[in-house]
Amino acid sequence: MITGDAAFIKKINRSLIISKIFENGMISRADLAKITGLNKATISVQAADLLAEDLIIETQQDHKNLGRRPIMLSINQQAGFVLGIDLDKYSITFAIANISGLPVQTDTIQLDTSDYAVILGFIAKKIKEYKQQCSHARYGLAGVVIGIHGIVNNDEMIYFVPQHGWHNKNLKDDLQTETGVNIYIENNANLCSFSERVYHHHQSENLLSISLYSGIGLGIMVNGDALKGYHGYAGEIGHMIVVPDGIPCSCGNFGCWEQYASESSFMKQLSEKLNTPDLKYDDIRKLIMEQETITCKQIKQYIKYLSIGLNNIINLYNPEILVLNSELLRIYPNAVTEIKNNLTSTVSHYCELLVSELGNRACVMGACALAIKHFLEVSNIYLSLNEGKVS
């Protein structure tokens, strides 16, 4: 039984009510009382507060029955906006979403430097621009979450970003000082797993998301919560050694999984074998359709090493849902079938293995969803990318 002072109980009830409004899209006060177990007076007081704060709106639902039309409560999408940022090796993606989680603008810029001060200045400049752009809303730019392709500790300090060579960077404080906006820092793989649960797999309590782009990251959801480890460093599965004394890795070891099963490693190896620099996904799609021999052989090798790592992960975590975030797997027609055919161990158990529908948007959309969660101070949130629907 939860006990505490009146303010604490009120905060818990508020969080529950907001979560249920998100989950149902539109809901009446009477139905809120039924599904939350709260009395009608509590619902009325909380709804009045949320209406006064412009966080929810009222609409009358049309119906054919006689009698008074029910008044429905829903999230006020235009109350404020959030910004998700995916800071990768060669690019930065910015996504603005309203507080219902619907994206309203996405921008991607290319990076040609790893200099921390330069990148800090650029991100700060963009945040200020978006802040001004959102200033018409009551809550303006309500929060910013940045996905880092590296190790982030529980205090949101960047411990190490191998792709940029960064050590011990306090990007959170540096940006908050510069912009005056609430900033949160999170590992990109954790954001990917969060976005999969929030936008697609609402009922999954044990979900793993593996990002396979410039490196390999593992986002772990156990009993509905992110599993981050003691310092916050859990999930650096790309540095699991799969080939002893293999290809050297930027982490200092040899034979790390991401040297064999990340998309960047695949692109590099295929480019060298075809003597074709700067291969793009469209080039690979065409080569696959043409059944080009070297490309097909390289993909088979890629899936072999990918499956080795997946077998280890499945044995470690016994996931309900295993989501692979990869553009390469999206364009290869037989990817999931071939991966499953390689997972032949009788002790490896999972319920569902699939390629992410969110693709390379997963990190920024997870960042937007986390910013909304922080802003509204809710414990659970379920969103949709479909206009007018949030569950």
Side-chain angles (χ1 to χ4, degrees), residues 282-297:
D282 286 342
D283 300 324
I284 294 173
R285 181 183 284 107
K286 182 179 179 182
L287 291 167
I288 290 171
M289 290 179 62
E290 294 172 350
Q291 296 187 329
E292 195 279 325
T293 304
I294 295 175
T295 303
C296 291
K297 184 177 179 180

Side-chain angles (χ1 to χ4, degrees), residues 150-157 159 186-187 190 218 227-236:
I151 303 174
V152 178
N153 69 21
N154 289 326
D155 294 324
E156 299 180 65
M157 280 281 295
Y159 175 71
E186 183 57 270
N187 171 268
N190 290 338
L218 172 65
L227 179 65
K228 296 186 178 183
Y230 181 68
H231 293 103
Y233 300 160
E236 291 299 320

Side-chain angles (χ1 to χ4, degrees), residues 24-62:
N24 289 273
M26 298 179 67
I27 189 169
S28 68
R29 289 169 174 81
D31 286 339
L32 266 176
K34 289 178 184 177
I35 65 176
T36 62
L38 300 173
N39 63 51
K40 292 181 180 179
T42 298
I43 296 293
S44 294
V45 170
Q46 291 277 1
D49 288 346
L50 293 171
L51 285 165
E53 296 169 32
D54 287 335
L55 290 175
I56 64 173
I57 55 175
E58 289 181 319
T59 54
Q60 280 197 314
Q61 189 177 49
D62 293 332

Side-chain angles (χ1 to χ4, degrees), residues 105-176:
Q105 180 178 338
T106 302
D107 302 302
T108 299
I109 60 96
Q110 300 305 306
L111 273 182
D112 58 5
T113 180
S114 287
D115 185 278
Y116 177 77
V118 172
I119 293 175
L120 170 65
F122 182 78
I123 294 176
K125 180 175 180 290
K126 293 295 290 183
I127 290 174
K128 290 176 184 176
E129 291 174 2
Y130 291 122
K131 183 180 179 181
Q132 178 61 35
Q133 182 179 321
C134 299
S135 61
H136 66 281
R138 173 163 177 174
Y139 295 98
L141 186 59
V144 178
V145 174
I146 304 175
I148 302 297
H149 293 243
I151 303 174
V152 178
N153 69 21
N154 289 326
D155 294 324
E156 299 180 65
M157 280 281 295
I158 297 174
Y159 175 71
F160 181 44
V161 179
Q163 297 167 347
H164 290 298
W166 294 353
H167 292 270
N168 301 316
K169 299 296 184 183
N170 196 342
L171 184 62
K172 178 185 176 79
D173 284 358
D174 291 342
L175 283 174
Q176 285 187 159

Side-chain angles (χ1 to χ4, degrees), residues 329-375:
L329 297 181
R330 284 165 63 89
I331 64 178
Y332 183 54
N334 301 316
V336 172
T337 299
E338 291 188 17
I339 291 168
K340 288 181 177 179
N341 289 339
N342 284 336
L343 301 175
T344 57
S345 171
T346 57
V347 298
S348 296
H349 295 283
Y350 61 94
C351 290
E352 188 175 2
L353 186 151
L354 49 89
V355 176
S356 172
E357 294 180 22
L358 290 169
N360 57 16
R361 298 182 300 161
C363 178
V364 288
M365 294 316 301
C368 288
L370 186 59
I372 294 169
K373 186 173 184 287
H374 284 311
F375 169 60

Side-chain angles (χ1 to χ4, degrees), residues 2 21 131 150 160 166 210 251 297 324 339 384 390:
I2 298 175
I21 294 174
K131 183 180 179 181
F160 181 44
W166 294 353
I210 302 174
C251 76
K297 184 177 179 180
L324 305 179
I339 291 168
S384 172
V390 292

